Amino acid sequence: MFAAENGLKGDPRLKGISDSITVVPHFPKPGIMFQDITTLLSNPKAFKDTIDIFVDRYRDMDISVVAGIEARGFMFAPTIALAIGAKFIPLRKPGKLPGEVISEAYELEYGKDRLEMHVGAVQRGDRALVIDDLVATGGTLSAATRLLERVGAEVVECACVIGLPEVKVIQILLL
């Protein structure tokens, strides 16, 4: 569900957030319309509004873990976790975390990949929120959900700033 369908219809913050995201045609390859969030991150008002929308939604949901998906989910997840009193857990690409990890494979439009997290980072019964910058096919979010559920966490929701194919702002995916 998009933010406008989630009680935020007409909220002027959504336009400011949307306007602060730059679309770069044909990057990183022809046919891709890259959603550049660096312009959102460099706009303090739009960045704060983005975080505030997520915090307003999740502060009273007893979330104990906010899992951020590498790499751009890392831009939002730690701040949200701090604001709602939850711990931040990075979900990384293979080989980026030291120590013992568990992993989950997933399919991409252009191949396969894996997400990893530290063993013991999430406990059975933790209530998890998964954050990423963008959802296109949902494959990465699905892998993150499976990974967290394998260790006994309850994934409450997955949330992204941008949803495709019709690019809208602040997409909350209810699982």
Side-chain angles (χ1 to χ4, degrees):
M1 124 182 28
F2 291 104
E5 300 158 356
N6 192 38
L8 294 173
K9 186 172 185 155
D11 188 320
R13 297 177 297 178
L14 296 180
K15 179 166 177 20
I17 294 165
S18 183
D19 289 349
S20 72
I21 298 168
T22 302
V23 178
V24 181
H26 308 295
F27 181 83
K29 61 185 182 179
I32 302 292
M33 299 297 283
F34 185 78
Q35 307 297 309
D36 183 8
I37 62 162
T38 61
T39 49
L40 165 65
L41 298 171
S42 67
N43 178 331
K45 180 172 180 4
F47 185 36
K48 182 181 184 316
D49 287 346
T50 302
I51 297 300
D52 287 349
I53 287 170
F54 286 124
V55 170
D56 289 347
R57 178 167 180 82
Y58 297 112
R59 80 166 35 118
D60 296 323
M61 289 191 179
D62 297 318
I63 304 291
S64 55
V65 171
V66 178
I69 296 175
E70 185 172 339
R72 295 182 296 174
F74 292 178
M75 307 292 186
F76 303 97
T79 308
I80 295 165
L82 184 64
I84 66 173
K87 63 183 173 180
F88 166 68
I89 300 299
L91 302 180
R92 307 273 333 245
K93 302 291 183 178
K96 303 276 183 125
L97 291 171
E100 190 177 357
V101 298
I102 60 171
S103 66
E104 184 69 35
Y106 63 100
E107 300 278 334
L108 299 164
E109 316 80 90
Y110 48 84
K112 295 181 180 188
D113 211 342
R114 299 181 76 75
L115 286 177
E116 295 182 343
M117 89 177 162
H118 280 122
V119 170
V122 176
Q123 306 302 313
R124 179 166 299 288
D126 272 338
R127 290 176 48 83
L129 168 63
V130 178
I131 299 286
D132 205 357
D133 68 319
L134 179 141
V135 60
T137 65
T140 309
L141 292 170
S142 293
T145 298
R146 289 191 308 271
L147 184 59
L148 291 161
E149 288 177 343
R150 275 181 36 213
V151 297
E154 173 191 353
V155 176
V156 177
E157 285 186 353
C158 295
C160 297
V161 177
I162 303 166
L164 294 178
E166 31 176 328
V167 177
K168 295 186 181 180
V169 178
I170 310 287
Q171 180 162 358
I172 313 292
L173 299 174
L174 305 174
L175 299 180

